Amino acid sequence: MLIDAQSAPSNSNTQPWNVHLVGGTALQELSAALIAEFDKNGINPDFTIDYGQGVHPQRSQQLAAKMYGLLGIAREDKEARTEFIRENLRFFGAPHTALLFIPPMGDRIRAAFDQGTYAENFLLSLEAHGYHGVPQGMISLLAPTVREFLGVDEEHKLVTALTFGVADQSSPVFKTAPGRAPLLETVTAHGLEGLKLD
C-alpha cells in the first residue's frame, strides 16, 4: 500500500510527502495527548478551516447533520458532539494511522495537491487489499501536538491523517453516502457542444 501511494504523480516529481506511520502503544499515547490538548486548549491547525460562503459550508453542514442524525446526536447536545470529536481523536479505534506532512515549499498549494494524489492512492490501495481507510482532517486541527509527539520539525505542516484497519461494518455510518453535487454545479464545459452534464 505504501508502494502504491508512493507511485502517485506530483508536480515535477517533487514527491512532497512526509509520512509518519503510527500504531500500537504509540497510537494510544498520541490519542491521549490529542484529547488532553483538545480538552484544555481546543484546536490549533496549521491551515485555515474556513469554508468561505455559500454552497461549500452548506455541504459541510448537510454532512454533519446526516452523520449526527445517524448517530442519534441532537444538534443541541453539545456534550455528545464533543465526545464524538474525542472519538475522532481516538482514531475511531483503528489500529493504524498515517500522518501526512508537507515540507516547506513556497505557499504549499502544489504540494497540497500532490498530498491529495498520495492520499487517494493510499486509500484505493487499502480498499484493493481488503482494508478500510478514512481521511481525518480533525487530527490536523491539533498539528502542534502531533508534531511534538512525533518529533517533527515545525516547518512541516500537517495536512491529514489516513486512519486505517478493518472497519466495523455494523456502524450506522459505515455505508453512508455523503452525497455529491450535480455535475452542473461543479463542471463548466468549453467547446464541447452536445456534452450532457446532467
Side-chain angles (χ1 to χ4, degrees), residues 13-189:
N13 199 35
T14 50
Q15 304 174 63
W17 34 75
N18 186 312
V19 183
H20 288 250
L21 293 177
V22 186
T25 302
L27 186 62
Q28 295 170 12
E29 292 172 352
L30 173 58
S31 173
L34 291 170
I35 291 170
E37 177 63 18
F38 173 74
D39 287 348
K40 182 178 179 182
N41 298 313
I43 62 173
N44 187 6
D46 281 338
F47 302 100
T48 178
I49 56 171
D50 182 2
Y51 294 143
Q53 302 293 321
V55 69
H56 303 103
Q58 290 171 12
R59 291 173 184 157
S60 175
Q61 292 160 7
Q62 289 166 359
L63 175 62
K66 181 182 286 189
M67 296 289 284
Y68 286 132
L70 287 167
L71 294 167
I73 300 173
R75 181 177 179 82
E76 63 277 6
D77 192 344
K78 292 183 178 179
E79 184 177 337
R81 285 174 172 246
T82 300
E83 183 56 30
F84 184 69
I85 292 174
R86 292 191 190 101
E87 191 61 24
N88 269 268
L89 301 178
R90 293 184 190 103
F91 300 92
F92 298 114
H96 314 287
T97 195
L99 297 146
L100 275 59
F101 293 87
I102 291 178
M105 294 177 64
D107 64 6
R108 305 182 200 257
I109 295 297
R110 290 181 183 272
F113 171 83
D114 296 337
Q115 286 273 4
T117 65
Y118 183 98
E120 183 80 5
N121 273 22
F122 190 88
L123 292 167
L124 289 171
S125 183
L126 284 172
E127 188 75 17
H129 289 88
Y131 297 99
H132 303 97
V134 58
Q136 283 192 269
M138 181 64 211
I139 305 303
S140 71
L141 303 187
L142 292 154
T145 303
V146 177
R147 268 195 298 274
E148 181 179 1
F149 183 88
L150 298 175
V152 173
D153 185 275
E154 65 179 10
E155 285 302 308
H156 285 70
K157 302 304 182 184
L158 181 59
V159 179
T160 193
L162 302 176
T163 297
F164 60 102
V166 177
D168 175 6
Q169 297 189 34
S170 67
S171 168
V173 299
F174 176 69
K175 292 188 178 178
T176 301
R180 289 292 180 265
L183 289 178
L184 285 171
E185 287 186 21
T186 62
V187 179
T188 302

